[in-house]
Amino acid sequence: MEKPEHHIFVCASFRADGDAKGVCKKKGSVDLLPYIENEILDRGLNAQITSTGCMKACDHGPVMVIYPKGLWYGGVESEEIVDEILDALEDGEVADEYAL
Amino acid sequence: MEKPEHHIFVCASFRADGDAKGVCKKKGSVDLLPYIENEILDRGLNAQITSTGCMKACDHGPVMVIYPKGLWYGGVESEEIVDEILDALEDGEVADEYAL
């Protein structure tokens, strides 16, 4: 099976036993998913996006984690911040301002 | 922030717009989460487990992905299979039978 070069996980505060709640969702993480999907396509990134349940970094939410690089980002609250993070990813760098 | 050595993602077929559905959940992935949590503790693994929405490998569900190693596993349907995968992880190996 073909694997993505970058696997981007976005906390959507899913809970196994019911509706999604929690910091990341409340701060709009889920609303950013379509934007991130579109950016991946526009930039031609070999990347997959996956939404997740709690990643236990709620104090820093909304949280995004990019593997296999192991980049943890917090405060991902806007399209502009997503752009900064993806710009850095394309350049092989880290968006320090939001790195956890 | 301290990062886990292994980050284990288990597809729980979450959907942003409602209840979880889909192959992985139907085949019992969510029921295995407490077992995996306990195994991580019992084995003293420096590992975090996160449940996810669809990882787009539904034909192989239930799906588990371990980063940063980038190990994709399918058919993770029982505690015994979880054990094989975690045994391999501890030994720095791959559980070939379930690798995607």
Side-chain angles (χ1 to χ4, degrees), chain A residues 1 3-4 7 9 14-16 19 25 30 37 48-57 60 67-68 72 100, chain B residues 1 3-4 7 9 14-16 19 30 37 48-57 60 67-68 72 100:
Chain A
M1 210 187 74
K3 316 288 172 16
H7 200 156
F9 294 91
F14 288 129
R15 294 185 180 195
D19 292 341
K25 184 181 161 70
V30 174
E37 288 273 18
Q48 178 172 339
I49 186 165
T50 297
S51 51
T52 75
C54 184
M55 288 201 275
K56 299 180 183 168
H60 306 284
Y67 280 111
W72 287 63
L100 300 179
Chain B
M1 212 187 75
K3 317 289 171 22
H7 200 155
F9 294 90
F14 288 129
R15 295 185 180 195
D19 291 343
V30 174
E37 289 272 17
Q48 178 173 338
I49 186 167
T50 297
S51 52
T52 75
C54 182
M55 288 201 276
K56 300 182 183 169
H60 307 284
Y67 280 110
W72 287 65
L100 300 180

